[in-house]
Amino acid sequence: MDSSLPSLLLFILIGCVSGSSDNGTRHFDYCVLGAGPAGLQMGHFLSKARRDYIILERNSGPGSFFYKYPRHRKLISINKIHTGRSNPEFNLRHDWNSLLSDRRDLLLKRVSSDFYPPADAFTLYLSMFEKELGLKVRYGADIGRIRAVQTDGDRSYILTDQHASDYKCSVLLVATGLWVPQKVEFVGSELVEGYESISTNPEDYKDQAVLILGKGNSAFETAQSIMGRASRVHMLSSSTVRLAWQTHYVGDLRAVNNELLDTYQLKSLDGVLEGRLEHLVIAQQKESGRRRSGGTTKKKKKGKFYVTLKKYVQNQEGKNNSDVSAEELAGYHIDNFPLRNTYDRVIRCLGFRFNFTIFDRSARPPNSGKAKGRLPGVTAWYEGKNTPGLFVLGTAAHSRDYRSSAGGFIHGFRYTARAVHRVLEHRYHSNPWPSTKLLTTQLQSWILKRVNEASGPYQMFEVLGDVILLRGSHCEYVEEFPVQALPQFSSLSGHEVSNHGLIVVVMQYGKTKIDFLGRTRAESDWTKAWKSNFLHPVLYFYDTLPTEEEMKLRPKGWPLPRPKAIHHMVEDFLTEWDSPISHIQPLRRFLEHCVQSDLRTFYAESCFRLSLTHRKPPLFCQQGYLKQQGVAHGSQLRQSVHDAGLMPTERDTDTSGADPAFPNYLAQAGASVSSGLKLGI
């Protein structure tokens, strides 16, 4: 028998099971549309779970958006390699480019050590990620039509490419990103150059006056590139400049791009203005050339652009390529009109929008009410509204947290992609959301570990939170659940809520507008933790799951409805919530209120005494000492405590009643015995 025959049979069998086809239509359980960072991230999770999937990409390599954008080739996502920590989970808090995997070395720092990496390094990283994990990507598949079909009560999606080949999938995961340039129509808008096509050579702008429409990062990136060569750069949009360090939204203007604000405020010819772009009229002078004496004609000089307002123009048709009359210029009516001087170039930098055109009516997700309709509308678990089985990943799913969290960026959507995968695993494969079962006495330590190292809730603040299901002496810890989907928690996660209630742990910024560099910008008093302005953990305790109606009626700016009890852990300059008095003791008191039990830790001697004097000893004693798992309070331990200077004096012992091993400074502060876990991160 030929030794190669078994291998051949296995190959044929695999071909029949995975990616089968009928009449030229290829069948998959999961189709991922787009091999950008979100598509590859989902591909990793599907591959790890050994699901039948395919990633379809129209271009020849992964992350094709980054072949061209940003136009000036510097990313604004930080790549902080040196954090002083060896904890990989903690380090992801400061690595905004790497994707999630089980490979600790599969990080962007392998290809770039720059704090703001070049875009070319990111495409190299994505290619490395795809190849080293062996993801199933089909390049050159340009999907032009997506439609939904109903067969025997089951909904599926058919994707048709440029060769009229069909791909049929039970679940469609759209990870195409935003790549269609956003435009605003006004009189003369066709005369404007687009960010997608402008020259990136600063010399091409030498001694030119440039008007940029937009005030986002692409607009300021362009301005910063040319301001050293252009005679003046003006920027115009309807909104004021929003600085990321003030709004805490990484999509707002980043400091790495804002040099023009210096030249504006220090009066060096550049400036920013506000105005509705729809009200503009841009007209261009006719190109002119002068005839030389020898009969030859000089090269025609490109006509300059006049900017005026729609209300001053009488006949708006045909104004684009001809001179406007003096009476139609805004400067005729307002002699100090800011845009009264002509411009050599007008550039549009208004961002991008989702490509809705490939979906027919049966499969098209609706436009979101946010971001001026540029994004598709999705549920709290990222499934398209009115399109069951179609999920939106990555930047395109940013409507859930637009201008409030990091879901539109790699360091945010790598976690929301994982959340979507967990939803899929439960819905289609009956695998519940991963959870950790803990003794209730272990809960405080576990919360401290999570708030001090977990990267998901830290990056996706107010969107992903940890859900703690209380079950008396035990609890279940469910990580990184979309908190806006809390009313559907049981159906999405596979976990039930008991009559003991639940606690939700999220990271939040303060909601009060403050002077972000003023002396009173931070709150350090733990008794006023609710006034914290910087990112800090907040715990919500509920008797039962909030309803959809309660979620809709939650207070403005709150990620969740009003709970039965709430606890803020005071903000910390080092983002280390492990201080015994300011963080640990208030947390323990809150947890004790929620579980209605003493959560202190005790030596065996104390447990013995409490067991004799109380009908119900503390949980720590029940679950430890009474099960012969307590900490032995021997002479060696007592001597170690004494040598460390933690034993109270004889005078203190007579009056304080404190445990002998309890530090004096805590007893004086009115604190009681706490686990005081110091995390090694």
Side-chain angles (χ1 to χ4, degrees), residues 186-208:
F186 54 84
V187 178
S189 59
E190 68 273 17
L191 298 173
V192 172
E193 299 177 70
Y195 173 73
E196 66 278 6
S197 59
I198 59 171
S199 168
T200 56
N201 182 1
E203 292 299 326
D204 291 340
Y205 300 86
K206 187 175 181 179
D207 203 31
Q208 292 186 353

Side-chain angles (χ1 to χ4, degrees), residues 355-622:
N355 181 22
F356 289 93
T357 62
I358 60 175
F359 300 89
D360 75 5
R361 291 183 60 184
S362 64
R364 187 186 189 280
N367 294 66
S368 168
K370 297 181 179 179
K372 301 179 180 178
R374 296 188 294 119
L375 303 171
V378 295
T379 64
W381 52 96
Y382 302 98
E383 190 170 17
K385 294 181 178 178
N386 307 320
T387 54
L390 185 155
F391 292 80
V392 183
L393 309 175
T395 304
H398 193 29
S399 62
R400 290 306 313 179
D401 63 310
Y402 181 67
R403 296 200 46 74
S404 62
S405 195
F409 311 91
I410 297 164
H411 64 286
F413 64 62
R414 61 191 179 192
Y415 303 103
T416 58
R418 181 162 63 186
V420 170
H421 179 254
R422 288 169 173 172
V423 170
L424 299 175
E425 282 294 300
H426 175 60
R427 180 183 295 184
Y428 299 107
H429 308 286
S430 301
N431 293 324
W433 201 288
S435 64
T436 303
K437 293 185 178 180
L438 302 167
L439 297 175
T440 300
T441 51
Q442 298 172 317
L443 180 57
Q444 174 183 275
S445 297
W446 200 265
I447 291 174
L448 289 170
K449 174 182 172 64
R450 289 287 295 169
V451 300
N452 281 288
E453 73 172 27
S455 58
Y458 189 88
Q459 304 287 28
M460 286 302 296
F461 54 89
E462 303 185 13
V463 176
L464 297 181
D466 292 350
V467 180
I468 303 164
L469 305 175
L470 302 177
R471 309 204 186 284
S473 62
H474 296 76
C475 61
E476 279 190 84
Y477 202 103
V478 179
E479 298 177 0
E480 297 175 23
F481 187 82
V483 297
Q484 293 177 10
L486 209 56
Q488 294 82 22
F489 176 80
S490 297
S491 62
L492 293 175
S493 70
H495 297 282
E496 296 297 329
V497 178
S498 74
N499 57 5
H500 293 280
L502 68 154
I503 299 172
V504 184
V505 185
V506 296
M507 303 295 286
Q508 287 183 212
Y509 280 98
K511 304 303 178 185
T512 305
K513 291 186 177 181
I514 61 169
D515 179 355
F516 292 95
L517 294 179
R519 290 183 179 274
T520 59
R521 63 185 179 273
E523 181 58 66
S524 59
D525 184 350
W526 65 270
T527 65
K528 300 177 181 177
W530 58 275
K531 291 185 176 181
S532 295
N533 294 309
F534 200 68
L535 194 66
H536 63 285
V538 183
L539 288 79
Y540 295 75
F541 170 63
Y542 297 95
D543 279 337
T544 59
L545 279 174
T547 64
E548 288 191 53
E549 186 66 19
E550 289 172 335
M551 188 65 73
K552 292 177 183 178
L553 298 177
R554 66 186 186 273
K556 185 178 180 180
W558 285 41
L560 289 166
R562 291 189 183 278
K564 182 177 181 181
I566 189 170
H567 174 67
H568 290 254
M569 296 180 69
V570 69
E571 62 183 298
D572 188 79
F573 180 74
L574 301 176
T575 61
E576 296 176 359
W577 292 276
D578 58 1
S579 301
I581 296 176
S582 295
H583 300 128
I584 296 176
Q585 178 183 270
L587 172 63
R588 179 178 61 78
R589 291 292 179 87
F590 173 76
L591 294 177
E592 288 177 339
H593 170 75
C594 296
V595 302
Q596 293 294 296
S597 183
D598 189 340
L599 294 181
R600 290 178 295 173
T601 56
F602 296 89
Y603 287 112
E605 180 180 306
S606 299
C607 284
F608 177 72
R609 183 173 61 252
L610 290 168
S611 299
L612 295 177
T613 57
H614 291 70
R615 288 186 177 181
K616 187 177 180 181
L619 275 177
F620 181 84
C621 296
Q622 295 179 41

Side-chain angles (χ1 to χ4, degrees), residues 296-313:
T296 60
T297 304
K298 284 185 177 181
K299 184 178 179 180
K300 288 187 176 181
K301 188 176 181 181
K302 186 177 180 181
K304 293 182 179 290
F305 295 101
Y306 289 102
V307 179
T308 185
L309 300 178
K310 189 175 181 179
K311 62 183 179 180
Y312 298 133
V313 177

Side-chain angles (χ1 to χ4, degrees), residues 642-661:
H642 181 274
D643 294 343
L646 299 178
M647 294 288 286
T649 64
E650 187 173 337
R651 182 185 60 205
D652 292 334
T653 304
D654 293 337
T655 58
S656 67
D659 191 290

